[in-house]
Amino acid sequence: MSTAAKPAPRTMRVLLVGANEEDFFLIREILERTRNTLAADLDHAHSLEEARAMLPRKDYDLILFEYATGDADALAFLAEFHQAGISVPFILLTEEADEKTVAEIVQAGAWDCLAKSQLDGANLVRTMRTTMALRSLQQEQRSAEKSLRILSRAVEQSDDMVMVVNRNGIIEYVNPTFQALTGYSRDEVQGKTPRLLKSGEQGREVYQELWNTLLSGNVYRGILVNRTKKGDLIYVEQSICPVRDAAGQITHFISNGRDLTERVRMEAQLLQAQKMDAIGRLAGGVAHDFNNLLTIITSYSELALDDVTPGSGLETKIQEILLAARRAAELTRQLLAFSRKQPQILRLVELNQVVGGVAKTLRRLIGEDIEFSFVPGKGLGRVRVDPVQIEQILMNLAANARDAMPQGGHLCIETASVTLDEAYIHNKPAVIPLGHYALITVSDDGAGIPPNDLPHIFEPFYTTKPLGEGTGLGLATVYGIVKQSKGFIWAYSEPKPGTIFKIYLPSTVAAVEPADEPAPSRPEQMPRGSETILLVEDECAVRRATAEFLTLQGYTVLEAKDGLDALSVARTYGPAIHLALTDVVMPNFSGGELARELAALRPETRLLFISGYAGKTVLDHKVFDLETNFLQKPFTLKQLSGKIRAALDRRALPATPSLQ
């Protein structure tokens, strides 16, 4: 059985510095005789200058230096190399040296001294071996110190929180990231336990599992909810490892924590956004079914008014049914506004009327413990806005004010007419056109918005509410609506006075566009006609009620249960069809598809769309002009009659329907 030969030891490179040639030959001879014990090659520098030139050219392991007592240049040479950080060990060869001289030599940087009178093979090899062993030891030490320095810098500069506790759970060290995230300084936590970070958001069993895992010698990994010095919650992905001594006993635990607060917040916002989208979809579907039912109720109630005696008790009861149906329709409209499913439909309106209408519903939103007041201004002029979106703005701001006043308070909405001049817009951080504006001021005396949060409140997904209680989209939506309406908004807030929002909307002196009359009326007061109308409605009860009303108004009514049925009627019916009154969203064939087919088949037929879905859904079905050829369910019979006459009486007849 063969044994692998051990590799030959590396040959040392030794430099002798000194002018004595005899010493060089003596030392070289000694090294040659002892090569089996210590392999070394010897070079000779005759002077300090020559040594300075030779040292950079070769990596020497050892320098033998001839020293004469009182040789100041030699001591300076040693000090020079010592201060330069050169780690090559020096052994001084001296004629004689007392204790004082030896101390000077060692202080200058020498590793050892050897008297020339004792210069033989045994002494030289022993001294060289001892020196090289010390050098190696100084190097397992320098390397360890370097590793410790690197480790220390890494821990101090780590983006993760690092905490070291002893076996008893007493904190002995925390890094700067720990201090930055928790708000506690190193002095504040040293000597304390990690219990000062407990948030109360997790049960006792979480911490029991943590300590059971660690004391059994295993690594704990989990997500902990901690509380900072300011009281904020932070989510930390924690990894805690036991530290053992040489005997294998656990002495400390090192905790490494990664801040997940922002990620958790974003995930919660995404989940909330998905929930909001689901609610919006549900709202659209519920609104459609509700609006169809309300259309049936209102239509038959209005038809019933034609058969009762004016002023009778039965008429009063039917009027109450109509009022209740319209209140239900208003709630449905609010649901659609909440789910942000309505597109912007701009109208020239009197702002006080719009805000006043919303103010009536705000009391139910904010609760009885909050005092509410509406102060309408004078001479506002008219503003071009979407009334539904103004309602959405005020609902959002009122909801925020309610949350800021959990113990009650005062919410006030005011309107005023203002003229912005150069003095006002000077130093404002936005480009603001000069001119006349209608101002809406919403103020509360709640907790206020912290100064650090105030510049960010209009940013999407930015919220100061606790996790799960706010989407961060409310004020972003408010800002978007105001900008879409060519206005601008400022927020002012202080802890005691509360919060003030000021919304500036451009005003004009143009005439107000007439709104649809909400009061119930009798069918005989409505405009009549004799044209032929193709009524396309998949909801049977809605179709029957609408057909009965149109027949009473003198129209010839052709009924169709969906788009395909309507297309069949249009192909087979001989006389002219003056108007197609069609639902938008239907099975088999939508109103938009029917409109395209009718444009080719009967280009003279005008179009009026109706739908119980939100306006955005209607737009998705390619109905373009919501103001002129669209009527939202539930509608009154007077509204329907007016829209039909407007569609039939328009002078300019388009060759194709107004579609996207």
Side-chain angles (χ1 to χ4, degrees), residues 101 103 127 213 224 380 517 535 621:
T101 303
T127 302
T213 301
L224 298 181
L380 300 186
E517 175 60 48
L535 174 61
H621 280 262

Side-chain angles (χ1 to χ4, degrees), residues 66-76 92 94-98 100-102 104-105:
E66 290 187 332
Y67 172 76
T69 301
D71 189 348
D73 289 341
L75 292 180
L92 265 64
T94 63
E95 293 291 346
E96 57 182 74
D98 53 22
K100 180 181 178 182
T101 303
V102 171
E104 290 179 351
I105 292 171

Side-chain angles (χ1 to χ4, degrees), residues 165-184:
V165 302
N166 62 23
R167 184 180 174 86
N168 297 320
I170 304 300
I171 299 173
E172 295 186 357
Y173 168 83
V174 293
N175 72 340
T177 300
F178 176 97
Q179 300 174 71
L181 289 177
T182 67
Y184 289 103

Side-chain angles (χ1 to χ4, degrees), residues 102-401:
V102 171
E104 290 179 351
I105 292 171
V106 172
Q107 187 176 7
W111 287 54
D112 207 345
C113 289
L114 182 61
K116 288 186 179 181
S117 59
Q118 300 175 354
L119 191 59
D120 57 25
N123 285 334
L124 181 60
V125 169
R126 183 177 62 251
T127 302
M128 291 175 63
R129 281 183 177 278
T130 301
T131 300
M132 294 308 296
L134 287 173
R135 184 196 185 194
S136 297
L137 182 62
Q138 186 190 65
Q139 287 175 335
E140 293 170 345
Q141 183 178 355
R142 288 180 177 174
S143 177
E145 290 174 352
K146 181 180 179 182
S147 296
L148 285 174
R149 285 194 300 271
I150 293 173
L151 178 61
S152 176
R153 286 197 298 268
V155 171
E156 286 285 299
Q157 298 174 25
S158 172
D159 283 339
D160 293 345
M161 298 195 313
V162 179
M163 175 174 60
V164 178
V165 302
N166 62 23
R167 184 180 174 86
N168 297 320
I170 304 300
I171 299 173
E172 295 186 357
Y173 168 83
V174 293
N175 72 340
T177 300
F178 176 97
Q179 300 174 71
L181 289 177
T182 67
Y184 289 103
S185 69
R186 192 169 293 175
D187 292 339
E188 287 177 304
V189 299
Q190 282 181 334
K192 303 219 172 38
T193 70
R195 282 195 294 271
L196 86 166
L197 299 176
K198 286 182 68 173
S199 63
E201 298 290 320
Q202 292 173 304
R204 185 177 179 182
E205 65 278 1
V206 173
Y207 302 98
Q208 190 66 48
E209 178 193 358
L210 183 155
W211 280 109
N212 289 342
T213 301
L214 293 177
L215 293 176
S216 64
N218 296 316
V219 177
Y220 172 83
R221 292 184 176 87
I223 296 178
L224 298 181
V225 185
N226 293 332
R227 193 174 296 279
T228 68
K229 185 178 180 180
K230 289 169 50 179
D232 299 329
L233 295 179
I234 55 174
Y235 292 78
V236 182
E237 185 179 30
Q238 206 82 54
S239 174
I240 309 176
C241 305
V243 180
R244 302 176 186 272
D245 60 13
Q249 298 298 313
I250 296 175
T251 61
H252 292 80
F253 302 97
I254 181 167
S255 168
N256 193 78
R258 178 157 298 175
D259 182 21
L260 297 181
T261 308
E262 184 64 19
R263 194 181 85 183
V264 170
R265 188 174 73 88
M266 293 300 294
E267 288 175 352
Q269 288 173 351
L270 176 61
L271 178 61
Q272 189 69 10
Q274 291 171 339
K275 287 166 58 178
M276 290 294 291
D277 183 65
I279 291 172
R281 293 176 184 273
L282 177 63
V286 169
H288 168 260
D289 294 340
F290 237 70
N291 287 337
N292 272 333
L293 293 172
L294 290 171
T295 300
I296 297 169
I297 294 171
T298 57
S299 296
Y300 277 113
S301 295
E302 290 187 65
L303 287 172
L305 287 175
D306 191 44
D307 297 329
V308 300
T309 304
S312 65
L314 183 57
E315 182 189 47
T316 302
K317 293 174 183 177
I318 295 175
Q319 295 282 16
E320 287 297 325
I321 293 173
L322 282 169
L323 289 174
R326 284 169 191 162
R327 283 196 294 270
E330 177 67 18
L331 291 175
T332 305
R333 190 170 68 87
Q334 291 178 19
L335 183 64
L336 289 173
F338 163 76
S339 63
R340 294 184 293 278
K341 291 294 182 180
Q342 294 283 35
Q344 189 180 45
I345 305 177
L346 299 177
R347 297 177 182 271
L348 269 177
V349 297
E350 175 61 56
L351 190 60
N352 279 338
Q353 293 179 1
V354 177
V355 177
V358 180
K360 294 176 183 177
T361 65
L362 287 182
R363 296 185 187 277
R364 294 195 299 272
L365 173 68
I366 62 178
E368 296 180 355
D369 56 345
I370 296 177
E371 181 186 356
F372 173 71
S373 59
F374 169 50
V375 183
K378 296 182 179 180
L380 300 186
R382 282 86 181 182
V383 292
R384 183 173 289 277
V385 295
D386 183 337
V388 172
Q389 290 187 334
I390 295 299
E391 176 181 345
Q392 189 174 354
I393 287 174
L394 296 178
M395 287 286 188
N396 271 311
L397 295 180
N400 285 346

